């Protein structure tokens, strides 16, 4: 499994034109040490692991350590629902109801929602 990590790291660094790096053997893990932009960057990765996403996660850590990630433009939040009309003071919605005698409409309060 460690060979998968090393292969993906080497191909990533070569594709970005970085040829100065070396691997360190640690107690329970390994590290790749890269002098880049005037700094010495050390990214740790495990000797092996059960997760198939391990090499991809290591590349993500490497991109962030070196600053080689593209930023996404902020997206505007979409409103899925129409905005509700504000309710009148008192919390009850008013509705016009006709009277049985044919009188002009009057407004009555509706309890509940």
């Amino acid at each position: 499994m460690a060979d998968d990590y090393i292969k993906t790291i080497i191909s990533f660094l070569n594709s970005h034109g970085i040829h100065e790096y070396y691997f360190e053997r640690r107690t329970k893990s390994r590290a790749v040490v890269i002098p880049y932009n005037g700094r010495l960057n050390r990214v740790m990765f495990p000797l092996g692991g059960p997760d198939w996403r391990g090499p991809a996660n290591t590349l993500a850590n490497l991109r962030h350590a070196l600053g080689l990630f593209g930023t996404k433009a902020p997206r505007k939040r979409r409103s899925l629902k129409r905005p509700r009309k504000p309710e009148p003071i008192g919390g009850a919605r008013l509705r016009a109801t006709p009277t049985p005698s044919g009188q002009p409409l009057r407004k009555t309060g509706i309890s509940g929602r």
Side-chain angles (χ1 to χ4, degrees):
M1 190 69 166
D3 292 337
D4 293 338
Y5 285 89
I6 292 172
K7 286 178 188 175
T8 55
I9 290 171
I10 289 172
S11 67
F12 174 77
L13 292 174
N14 288 337
S15 68
H16 283 83
I18 301 171
H19 300 291
E20 263 188 71
Y21 56 88
Y22 60 92
F23 292 95
E24 289 182 346
R25 172 85 185 210
R26 312 289 286 185
T27 305
K28 293 183 179 181
S29 60
R30 288 190 181 171
V32 60
V33 181
I34 308 161
Y36 187 75
N37 283 343
R39 295 184 321 180
L40 196 64
N41 299 295
R42 177 177 283 123
V43 178
M44 309 289 284
F45 61 95
L47 284 172
D51 190 9
W52 62 273
R53 287 280 303 153
N57 291 338
T58 301
L59 286 185
N61 293 340
L62 192 60
R63 277 196 306 272
H64 282 278
L66 299 177
L68 297 175
F69 56 92
T71 58
K72 295 181 180 177
R75 291 184 357 181
K76 182 181 174 187
R77 284 186 66 194
R78 282 187 350 173
S79 176
L80 299 178
K81 296 181 180 178
R82 288 188 306 181
R84 296 176 80 182
K85 291 182 182 177
E87 293 186 12
I89 299 173
R93 285 183 269 162
L94 298 177
R95 153 182 94 158
T97 56
T99 58
S101 62
Q103 302 258 336
L105 298 175
R106 63 180 176 164
K107 296 192 177 200
T108 60
I110 300 173
S111 62
R113 290 186 182 205

